[in-house]
Amino acid sequence: MSWIKDIIDPKAREWEEFYRNRWQHDRVVRSTHGVNCTGGCSWGVHVKDGLITWELQMLDYPIFNKDIPPYEPRGCQRGISASWYVYSPIRVKYPYVRGKLLDFWRKAKQEQGDPVKAWASIVEDPEKRKAYQWARGKGGFRRSSWDEVLEIIASAMIYTIKKYGPDRIFGFSPIPAMSMFSFAGGSRFFSLLGGAMLSFYDWYCDLPPSHPEIWGEQTDVCESANWYESAFIAISGSNLNMTRTPDVHYVAEAKNNGTKLVVFSPDFSQVSKYADWWIPIKPGEDGAFWMAVNHVVLKEYHYERQTPYFIEYVKKYTDSPFLIVLDQKNGEIKPGRYLRANRIEKYKDVENGDWKLLVWDSSTDSPKMPNGTLGFRWGKEKGKWNLQMKDGLDGSDIDPVLTFIDNADEVLEVSFYDFAGGRTLRRGVPVKYVETTDGQKLAVATVYDLLMAQFGVDRGLPGEYPRSYDEDLPFTPAWQEKRSGISKDTCIQFAREWATTAEKTQGRCMIIVGPGLNHWYHNNLLYRSQIVTLMLTGCVGTQGGGHNHYVGQEKLAPMIPWATIAFALDWVKPPRQQNGPSWHYVHSCQWRYDDEFTKYHTTPQDSELNKGHAIDIQAKAVRLGWLPWYPQFNKSSIELAKEAQQNGAKTNEEIIQYVVRQLKEKNIRFTVEDPDAPENWPRIWVIWRGNAIGTSAKGHEFFLKHYLGTHSAAIAEEVAKGKVKEVVWRDPAPEGKMDLVVDINFRMDTSALYSDIVLPTAFWYEKNDLNSTDLHSYIHPLGAAVPPSWEAKPDWDIFKSLAKKISELAKTHLPEPVKDIVAAPLAHDTPDELAQPTIKDWAKGECEPIPGKTMPKLVVVERDYVNLYNKFISFGPVKELAGHGIKYSIEDVWEELAQKNPVEWNGQKYPSLRDAVDAANLLLATAPETCGEMAYRAFKAEEEKVGLKLTDLAEESRDVRYTFDDLVSQPRRLLTSPVWSGDMTNGKPYSPYVLNVTKLIPWRTLTGRQHFYLDHEGYIAFGENLPTYKPNPTPEQYGDIKKTSIKGKTKLVRYLTPHGKWHIHSTYMDNHRMLTLSRGMEPIWLSEEDAKELGINDNDWVELVNDNGVYVARAVVSARIPKGVCIVYHAVERTVGIPLSKTNIERGVTGKRGGMNNSVTRTKLKPVLMFGGYAQFTYAMNYWGPTGVNRDTYVYIRKYEGPVIW
Amino acid sequence: MDVRAQIAAVFHLDKCIGCHTCSIACKNIWTDRKGLEYAWWNNVETKPGTGYPTLWEDQEKYKGGWELANGELRLKLGGRVSRLINLFYNPYLPTIDDYYEPWTYRYEDLFNSPEMDVQPVARPISMITGEPIEIEAGPNWDDDLSGTPVYARNDPNLKNLSEEERQKLFEFERVVFFYVPRICNHCLNPGCVAACPAGAIYKRAEDGIVLISQEKCRAWRMCISGCPYKKVYFNWNTGKSEKCILCYPRVETGMAPACFHSCVGRIRYLGVILYDADRIEESAKKSDRDLVDAQRDIILNPFDEEVIKAAKANGIHESVIEYAQKSPVYKFVKEWKIAFPLHPEYRTMPMVFYVPPLLPIMAFRKGEIYELAKDFFSTPESVRIPVRYLSNLFTAGNEDHINYALKKMLALRLYKRAQNAKDVPEEEVKKMMQQMELTPEVAEEMYRLMSLPTFHERFVIPPSHRELSVERSADVYDTKASVGFGFRKPPQRGM
């Protein structure tokens, strides 16, 4: 065997240095990727000869629990290809301006001298404005300089502030957690300026509205190590290999630990490979399956056998024992609202009696008022906001009754909606009668009994109950079979295995869920049907349990100090924060193409609230303070303050009174009521860290037309005319609302390509910043391995430069501080949650307009543009931080930093925020999650509200204090904090709501418990007060294919856009590594049967077509795709490898290139999600509001015939 | 007994997530340069599928590896004479179409294009010609594809499957796929070494890593044909063949190879084993059915006193023997018998071993309704993929080995389930464990190594003792003082 070279000449091996030399490098620097992937992976960036050459994962996560697999290595195929970008030909190296605009600018500047006048001369000339808008997205970029572009941008902003007010200026950057200060630099700038920041989590449809509905929480999920503690994992609408690539090992490893894994997915998705069971549920029909699971669980584990663990759990931690008033109307009885404490004699005078609720106590056989409901949270009396089943008035113990079945006063036939069957079912419900202070006798039922009836559990009561699993009535296994395509036996077996495991392990079953479910129009109902299962089986707030929704890296762990810096709360409050979905739906004119929502949304017949057009409810939501809205008024918010003063207002209070009067008399209007009037348009849009015009633009082609005024491929017809009541219809629809669009980027992506100005930003390996995620419990940095290449700058520094330029120009144009009136919605985690026990519209004369009560809050703030820069770089005089309903002092740290690292101006020293590292150190020293003393203080504050011991959770780590340099040396584990709900002490993986369960801290909801029932009037009107099933809209109803007719072979298919393997959203989609390992583009996946029918072969070019636009790509044909479905893994850039569309050419539209994944979508808003001003249904940015759904889209698929046209 | 040390690996396929991070780790460091654009020393394939280069497993097409002729081993490519005749014309070499034509895009058009009436776009262009290209193939073309007429159905491993089995494999309710990552196997009986007319390829004595000298290579490319795994690539720029070097500059300094390091599915294990080089030939000549056992047999017990003595006599450092005793590879391959070589029938004795994947349970269709088999966990009987298919990949068709491995892993799962969820009858678990030679101690050890391992438990990298290697040609202190000084001199054509 001569190939084993025993006696090889050592000289003959000297060549081996060839590869050794390549491996040798000069430096390894820790960094990560700011890309909203949830990975939060720590990487070692290798530098050789002063250049970034490659990256490999860092492995030094501190191990916190030896019985759980470690986190190393973290990092995926996308992350490891990031270094390709740094010196690639798609890197933005210099500032660019589109030639047409640049020529106008240089000429105007020469003619006008003053830059603000120069800008005015361009945008006020309709021909010029039209000319540079039409050039958007069609080439013609020219290199510029930082001096020049900053001057253009600052001039445009000052012009806009003076002409319209600052609230016409918008910033968009998503997902702060991925690079906290790259976001915060911009948001701080806009907050000081008076511009508005757009939300993203709801717009991306990543927000699960069911979580605020049930838990009063934006999203709170476990870290991936906690998956390992689960004994039964159901994965649904989430493709872990694709999207949780560095975490998915935990499920493979859990299998060896005896965990059962069930994957629900219409296609044989990548994660299905691991499953014990793969359940190919029909797209969007998961709700039907889980509703039937609940039927089985309730029947077998709650009724036939009362599983002690489950019964105790629902009693203690859910609203199931709370009393619901049954309303009788038109001969029908329906579940209404929670019985309020102040309606009965005993509790009629309690503080916040509208917000304290009742259960039935078994020992006294009467209603009692347990601790922990919302009224206790915001009352003057402290210490009773907890989950102890004690009476809030007299402290007596309560043993709540779950069901009246054995001692009902009467059994009433109550009506329940069967939305799929289009009928109402009458089912017997046991009730008690309660006498109210006004002498009424009210029938009340427990939430638990209503659940039993809603799910159709036959307990021997009269009415339309199914008598067996085989009966086709909601919500039996046989009923679900017809919808989900999954056999009833499989459904029953699943339910039994789940419940048995949950019982034996005390709640160690979990659901991992994602956008595959959350992007449907009825996402809240789909999710609720699953969460009900978890709640019924005691699987929330346990290690190894929970509804773990991973859609976006939303967990910014050190949230309180971060928000203070990011929204400049240290200088001015409130910031303007706009919910993205409403904003885009209205401003990009998508509402004009939308019909009345009842066309595609099944609602009960017996209410006025649930009919009409979504924009009318949107307008109401703004007027009543449920949702924010910017621009605010059809007059400048600065000019309005001046006007009020000119009309005699002396104080801020009088200015507000003036505004209220003007609104009431309709002398001024909310712009949402006339969104297409030129004075009401958004004017300047700055985009960074995201792809707002590109792949996150649901209704992309409408963006091109109405925002940008350039080419578009949409052919949809406007249908809203005559159907909207509260909003002005203008013909024709405006095109090109935006005066200026700026994109800050390291790559020339779709948004950059369509912007007027592109600014070069530092790559992730060229700047310092912080990163956190929900998938692990560490915080770690982005680090500058090399300085920003070419002319790039970190985002923080870009906005700092812009702030400086604004301050410079303000000396001439806005020399004095001005008053600005800010309208802000009723806010979550504040006493605003008590604002509106019922819906009353002041504009309809149903009540008085009272800011902060019946309408938005109005606040007069000061804008000091000359000092904008000074404020930007210094942390303002705030000695107490607040958030999440908690306040704690940071005075000592403030003083320390103001001495050690000050910024000084106007004779005062402030802690420095000159660069991102200064900001990071301030944050780390003041966040409960990174500073033990702050955790202690925050728990102390929480303790006072709750009235139970909590500081023990912070005792052991009280002396921990991390600095930025600490994180550079090694990622650090976050500390347990009252801002979050998991308990990480003693090496426990983070699992949400564990503190609620173990420490009896209430959920931030109306009852303080987890909600099966939602008693908001709007939810009752829409028939979503109980968990239910609503059929998905048909393509005809949804209205995306009205005008599309195609000759030749074609087929209407469902358009599914799950997350892909070769990109993180659109980032990496243009990366050479990813394109090489995929098919050189994002293809269209088809089933073999459909492909055969259409004569399409693998790798043929195809087009997806509907009224909204077209997407052109090649086909991939595979047996793992079900019939009737096409999959385009989102998201796509239209910058790389996209040819012209033959359909677009045939249709004669102006936009001929073959689009991208959002070219065929248009968003629709679900009205119930606009309701607010009530308990957990109050606004916080990225917490509440409608979501930008896109999953119900259908497309025609057709072969691209003939040669490809580029 | 001729005891040798070999660095070997285990890839646990149930854990492989098909992410290709390994491939890019390698690409970034080693093959991102002119001449190797198309080369992926590490790649990941979806199975069933045809792989990269296309149909590499079809040895009728490529003539890779060894065959038995009259009881003797010989290269399938032919004897030395026929190889020499074919030096200038080798009909079995994969062409660029069997790999793919590397491409990129005209990204710069996005910046430079003049104002037009349509949106500019970065068009794909060939990295060979610089001209616009229609992309028809890539290094991972059938990724996640599973059944299609063009790819999966031509998978050579479907041989011996009945027509019915094949049909079912690609029905929607039975469809399945899994991933097979591949690197150079650093074989004990490497076809590439044997095929090289220039003697440029050698197996390092200290660790068994197979290398192609970039000085001696003369571009005959016989190694490319000789390797049945198609893991040697011709660098058209330097005119030398290159292949996976198992990141020896990293291994020599105690680091895992980049693809192992970066494996985020945590599927990879690396360790040193001791084997008996005297028995390579006899083992490689066994019948197909016995190949797996034969290969296992020549791996020696590092605790055996005789083996230790012989190893020391052969100059194997004591520290390396200690590492062999800690080797995770030894446990998977020898002790637990759940890891197998890829295509042992090529008879090169590959040193990368694969744990076969557990896969989902099969289902049935009743009209339009889908119903699952009732099993709680999948068993060899209820799993979606026929055991025969797996045996064609890993055990030269011997299904007993695959059945054993799958059942052993199932027994482990049931054992842990009984411990954690307490809903499995203990007696049943005990019985199954006995059957599968699984004591609680072994089960815990398997569990620890498959689920909980730290970096250092997965990668037990033997000390390289570079000082001993250097010492053979230079003074170690002088080398320490001068290493790195000099000018880089890349290999050049015809050097």
Side-chain angles (χ1 to χ4, degrees), chain A residues 34-74:
Chain A
V35 68
N36 189 21
C37 60
T38 71
C41 309
S42 195
W43 285 87
V45 180
H46 290 60
V47 180
K48 190 177 173 83
D49 288 2
L51 298 175
I52 288 166
T53 44
W54 63 75
E55 57 279 88
L56 282 171
Q57 297 102 327
M58 297 296 250
L59 308 169
D60 52 356
Y61 305 90
I63 289 178
F64 56 85
N65 187 326
K66 290 202 160 56
D67 293 324
I68 288 176
Y71 269 111
E72 54 77 18
R74 296 185 67 78

Side-chain angles (χ1 to χ4, degrees), chain B residues 212 214 217 221 223-224 232-235 239-242:
Chain B
I212 303 172
Q214 295 298 293
C217 175
R221 285 173 276 175
C223 51
I224 297 170
V232 186
Y233 304 83
F234 181 64
N235 180 328
K240 313 275 178 186
S241 287
E242 293 192 50

Side-chain angles (χ1 to χ4, degrees), chain A residues 6 16 274 1088 1114 1118, chain B residues 4 17 134 145 153 248:
Chain A
D6 284 326
E16 287 179 12
Y274 295 112
E1088 282 193 61
R1114 290 177 182 265
S1118 169
Chain B
R4 305 277 166 168
I17 60 185
E134 283 291 314
L145 214 49
R153 261 156 247 192
Y248 66 79

Side-chain angles (χ1 to χ4, degrees), chain A residues 17 426 431 460 498 568 842 872 878 890 944 1148 1180-1181:
Chain A
E17 74 175 16
R426 293 191 179 209
V431 304
W498 173 284
W842 57 268
F872 185 95
V878 164
I890 58 156
E944 280 160 31
M1181 180 154 147

Side-chain angles (χ1 to χ4, degrees), chain A residues 1 3-6 10 13 15-16 18-20 22-23 49 55-57 59 67 69-70 72-73 75-77 80 89-91 96 100 137-140 228 231 241 245-246 248-249 253 255-260 266 268 270 272-278 280 481 485 487 489-490 493 497 501 504 508 753-754 1061-1062 1070 1072-1077 1079-1080 1085 1088 1098-1099 1101 1114 1116-1120 1134-1137 1153 1206, chain B residues 4 13-21 24-25 28-30 32 100 103 105 107 111 113-116 119-123 134-136 139-141 143-145 147-149 151 153 170 172 175 177 179 188-190 193 202-204 206 211-214 242 245 248 250 252 261-264 266 281 360-361 369-372 374-377 384 413 416-417 420-422 447 450-455 458 466 472-473 488 491:
Chain A
M1 295 290 133
W3 42 84
I4 304 170
K5 301 282 176 180
D6 284 326
R13 286 183 53 181
W15 76 272
E16 287 179 12
F18 171 64
Y19 291 119
R20 283 193 198 104
R22 170 61 184 171
W23 168 247
D49 288 2
E55 57 279 88
L56 282 171
Q57 297 102 327
L59 308 169
D67 293 324
E72 54 77 18
C76 69
Q77 69 274 29
I80 202 165
I90 206 165
R91 178 79 197 261
Y96 287 92
K100 201 137 243 162
K138 298 197 214 37
Y228 195 74
N241 305 43
T245 314
V248 65
H249 67 86
E253 286 159 346
K255 279 166 72 180
N256 297 323
N257 199 18
T259 302
K260 174 148 183 175
F268 189 84
Q270 288 66 18
S272 307
K273 160 193 178 278
Y274 295 112
D276 292 301
W277 276 17
W278 167 54
E481 187 176 88
S487 100
D489 291 344
T490 295
Q493 191 182 338
E497 286 182 4
T501 307
K504 299 234 175 192
R508 288 204 292 122
L753 194 73
Y754 278 81
K1061 188 167 185 173
W1062 307 109
D1070 48 11
H1072 186 244
R1073 299 266 183 281
M1074 299 292 93
L1075 285 162
T1076 300
L1077 284 175
R1079 290 204 169 193
W1085 290 74
E1088 282 193 61
D1098 190 80
N1099 212 37
W1101 285 97
R1114 290 177 182 265
V1116 178
V1117 179
S1118 169
R1120 70 174 189 83
R1134 57 187 301 166
T1135 50
V1136 176
R1153 183 125 350 252
W1206 290 93
Chain B
R4 305 277 166 168
L13 294 186
D14 193 49
K15 298 180 80 178
C16 183
I17 60 185
C19 67
H20 303 252
T21 310
I24 300 166
N28 281 349
I29 301 172
W30 302 120
D32 191 22
Y100 69 104
W103 73 88
Y105 300 81
Y107 294 107
F111 295 85
S113 79
E115 196 182 313
M116 307 188 293
Q119 179 215 297
V121 78
R123 264 190 89 167
E134 283 291 314
I135 303 162
E136 302 287 351
N140 185 32
W141 198 247
D143 187 65
D144 290 342
L145 214 49
T148 72
Y151 302 103
R153 261 156 247 192
F170 302 115
F172 186 67
V175 74
F177 61 77
Y179 305 105
L188 297 186
N189 187 27
V193 178
Y202 57 97
K203 194 166 173 64
R204 304 210 304 189
E206 65 268 38
L211 293 178
I212 303 172
S213 165
Q214 295 298 293
E242 293 192 50
I245 57 172
Y248 66 79
R250 289 173 56 91
E252 285 168 358
H261 174 113
S262 66
C263 177
V264 64
R266 296 162 41 92
E281 193 167 349
I361 289 168
I369 301 301
Y370 175 98
E371 184 166 313
L372 278 150
K374 303 264 181 223
D375 295 11
F376 192 80
F377 291 146
R384 279 175 174 254
R413 294 188 73 194
K416 293 302 285 186
R417 177 95 197 161
N420 288 330
K422 301 179 183 66
Y447 163 68
M450 283 174 17
S451 286
L452 300 177
T454 62
F455 197 79
R458 302 201 299 285
R466 283 288 296 153
R472 293 164 76 185
S473 58
R488 282 184 208 155

